[in-house]
Amino acid sequence: MSALVSAAPLVFITGASSGIGQALALRYYRAGYRLARVARREAELQAWAREQGLEAGRWAVYGADVRDVAAITGAGRACLAAQGLPDVVIANAGISIGIDSAVYEDLEVMRSIYETNNLGLAATFQPFIAPMNARGSGALVGIASVAGIRGLPGHAAYCSSKAAVISYCESLRGECRPSGVKVVTICPGYIDTPLTRQNRYSMPFLMQPADFADRAFEAITAGASYRVIPWQMGVVAKLLRLLPNALFDKLLAGRPRKHRAGS
C-alpha cells in the first residue's frame, strides 16, 4: 500500500452489501476515503468492489453478523489491525419486519430486530470508542429512522428499536463530547431499498440511495448531532409528534401494517 493511500481517511460501514450501506460506501470512496465494509455476505462485498473498479489497497471487507457480538467486535479489531483507526464508523446494519405481539412466534422476531438494530449498533461502535477518545477525534454514526419518532401500528419492534437508536446515540454523544469525538444520529425517511420495496403503503418523499448518501455525507462531515433526511420527512415527523394521541390514533386507523415474517 502506498503512503498516499495509507494516509487517506478511513470509513467503517456495516450493512454495506446493499441499499443505504452500499450507497454510503460509494459516496465515501468517491470523496477519497478508504473503505472497511462489513456484512454477512462477504463474497457480495468483494464482487461489488470489483464491479465498481475500486482501487486495490483502498478497500477491505469483513464478514460478520452484527447480532453476533464476538463476530462484529472481532471485525472491528481486525480493521484496527489491518487498516488502522477509522475516521468515521457508520452503524448502518438493520432489519425491518412487522410483528403482531399477540402471536407468540413474533416475540422471537422482535428479539432478532433488537439484536440487530440495537445490540449490533453498540457492538459495532465498541472497538473504536476508546481509541477514538484517546485520539480526540472521529465520528460514530448511528442510522436510526423517522419511524423511531412515533410508534406505528404493526411496526412495534422496528419503531421501538429505532427510538432506542436515537436515545442511545444521544447518551453516547454526551459521553464522547469531552474527548472531541462526534456522535451523529441520521434518521432516514423512505429510501428506495430492498427493505422498503415490500411496504404496502404510500411512501412520501421517497429518495434514491445515492441522493440520501450525498446528504448523509454532508451531515456527517459537518458534525451534525442529529439529522432527518430528507428534511421534508423531518417536518412531517415533528408534526406527528405534536399531534394529540387521539388524533394521531385516528389518523393511523386502517393503515396497512408492515409484512410479518413469512407473510
Side-chain angles (χ1 to χ4, degrees):
M1 185 186 300
S2 70
L4 184 61
V5 170
S6 63
L10 173 66
V11 60
F12 182 96
I13 307 173
T14 64
S17 62
S18 65
I20 286 175
Q22 191 176 86
L24 284 168
L26 189 57
R27 179 64 181 84
Y28 271 90
Y29 181 85
R30 288 174 174 168
Y33 279 70
R34 291 177 295 135
L35 304 180
R37 299 165 57 234
V38 186
R40 291 174 297 171
R41 301 183 294 272
E42 188 175 352
E44 290 186 20
L45 295 176
Q46 294 172 338
W48 178 83
R50 289 190 290 267
E51 289 167 5
Q52 296 295 319
L54 303 191
E55 179 185 347
R58 282 188 58 193
W59 60 274
V61 301
Y62 304 91
D65 185 337
V66 298
R67 294 177 299 177
D68 184 336
V69 170
I72 186 58
T73 57
R77 290 190 297 272
C79 172
L80 289 168
Q83 295 177 279
L85 179 58
D87 299 271
V88 181
V89 174
I90 304 177
N92 166 72
I95 56 176
S96 175
I97 307 170
I99 70 161
D100 183 340
S101 296
V103 177
Y104 179 82
E105 291 75 15
D106 280 11
L107 296 178
E108 285 303 316
V109 176
M110 190 171 193
R111 184 199 302 275
S112 179
I113 291 170
Y114 284 178
E115 287 179 346
T116 303
N117 296 0
N118 303 121
L119 182 60
L121 177 137
T124 296
F125 289 159
Q126 188 277 326
F128 306 111
I129 294 173
M132 277 189 173
N133 282 335
R135 184 180 61 189
S137 67
L140 301 167
V141 183
I143 302 298
S145 170
V146 293
I149 296 172
R150 288 215 74 157
L152 305 173
H155 296 62
Y158 182 68
C159 289
S160 58
S161 75
K162 290 303 185 178
V165 169
I166 294 169
S167 293
Y168 173 84
C169 288
E170 189 170 43
S171 297
L172 187 62
R173 187 172 75 241
E175 296 167 11
C176 292
R177 183 180 293 113
S179 71
V181 174
K182 304 290 186 183
V183 178
V184 180
T185 306
I186 301 292
C187 293
Y190 293 114
I191 314 299
D192 184 16
T193 69
L195 202 66
T196 60
R197 287 171 196 151
Q198 303 175 46
N199 290 343
R200 298 183 289 183
Y201 41 81
S202 63
M203 296 183 285
F205 312 113
L206 182 70
M207 292 186 76
Q208 293 303 307
D211 295 329
F212 167 83
D214 284 340
R215 299 188 196 182
F217 178 85
E218 292 170 1
I220 296 164
T221 302
S225 60
Y226 178 90
R227 186 69 57 84
V228 177
I229 301 172
W231 66 265
Q232 294 95 331
M233 282 303 297
V235 174
V236 171
K238 286 182 179 179
L239 290 174
L240 289 176
R241 183 74 269 174
L242 292 172
L243 284 179
N245 288 345
L247 185 55
F248 176 79
D249 293 346
K250 184 176 181 180
L251 184 65
L252 272 292
R255 186 176 188 265
R257 294 187 171 204
K258 194 167 191 70
H259 287 288
R260 292 174 53 245
S263 65

